[in-house]
Amino acid sequence: MKSLTPNEERHQESLDELRRSDAFDVLFDEQQKLWFALDEFLPLSDTKAEWADLELGPDLLRCSLRFKRISSQWRLTGSRQDLAGEFSLPHFYKTLIGAAPRATDDASENDRQLFSELRIIDSTPRDATGQAALVRIQLAKDPLEIWYQDRDLYDSVNNPQACVRTTLNYCEYLDALRLTKGTFGWQLLFTDVLLRDTLQHRAETLTEMLEVFPAAFPAHDYTSLAERLEARL
């Protein structure tokens, strides 16, 4: 049996933290079997010739998980703000070879180009909330950008694709996911979006998350997330 890497152990423990807590109802979780390490797929030009200059930096190779998929769906029992979350992470190579998301029919040329370069790294297939995190496949760029799509971001004039770039790279995304457990909308803490008006409900649920999680998961430090939330209000 293959032994887990330190990062795989951390993500396994993150699932176990949810399972052990009486405060949460875990509706679904899975930790599929280990697949190949990401560096075993190098050079990527063997997959697509045009990927000869696609850089998967040493940090990404180190932090990527070998699970074919790791997922969770949960609810906080008795939550006043319907605090809940879901994540579903495929193996990064499966992300790379997956289909690009579709831009809307009236998308600009720039948006069509952007969406042709995006691939889903995390989604909410069971709750079907219209949220996803995506990596941008750009040649000769390290680290690769992470974008976030959320139907609550839709603005017919300023953001018709309901998509925004985050400040995270892939390894940072995985680290933040262990803290947030996939709380719906957590990615907004790593954008320049203000949580007001149509996003006020996100501010309320993230506020409850930061009230509940430090006691529920005392091994983690939530100070930085609290500072990020304050900056978004």
Side-chain angles (χ1 to χ4, degrees), residues 8-162:
E8 288 164 354
E9 289 179 345
R10 286 189 284 268
H11 284 270
Q12 182 182 66
E13 173 61 17
S14 186
L15 286 183
D16 288 340
E17 287 173 335
L18 280 168
R19 294 166 182 152
R20 291 194 299 260
S21 177
D22 294 334
F24 299 89
D25 293 323
V26 178
L27 307 177
F28 175 82
D29 68 15
E30 66 175 345
Q31 181 180 304
Q32 293 184 5
K33 67 180 182 180
L34 296 178
W35 205 31
F36 300 99
L38 186 56
D39 60 8
E40 294 187 44
F41 294 96
L42 301 180
L44 290 175
S45 56
D46 287 350
T47 301
K48 289 187 178 183
E50 61 266 33
W51 282 357
D53 293 325
L54 177 58
E55 295 185 20
L56 302 184
D59 287 342
L60 193 156
L61 293 174
R62 171 190 53 78
C63 76
S64 60
L65 308 174
R66 290 173 296 166
F67 305 119
K68 280 195 169 183
R69 185 173 298 273
I70 185 168
S71 307
S72 183
Q73 178 195 28
W74 55 267
R75 299 280 185 276
L76 175 66
T77 305
S79 170
R80 67 177 185 277
Q81 298 296 343
D82 296 326
L83 181 61
E86 182 181 2
F87 62 87
S88 183
L89 290 172
H91 191 288
F92 194 81
Y93 183 74
K94 287 184 173 291
T95 283
L96 290 179
I97 63 176
R102 289 186 59 186
T104 59
D105 292 340
D106 59 348
S108 68
E109 188 58 37
N110 285 341
D111 283 340
R112 290 183 188 280
Q113 178 62 36
L114 169 64
F115 270 62
S116 73
E117 297 170 346
L118 295 178
R119 301 293 185 275
I120 295 173
I121 61 168
D122 186 15
S123 61
T124 58
R126 292 179 176 272
D127 270 295
T129 59
Q131 296 164 284
L134 311 102
V135 64
R136 188 174 185 182
I137 307 304
Q138 290 179 292
L139 303 182
K141 185 175 180 62
D142 179 37
L144 299 172
E145 298 171 4
I146 303 297
W147 287 66
Y148 174 62
Q149 187 173 36
D150 185 334
R151 60 192 177 201
D152 286 340
L153 288 170
Y154 174 78
D155 181 316
S156 60
V157 175
N158 299 308
N159 195 356
Q161 304 306 313

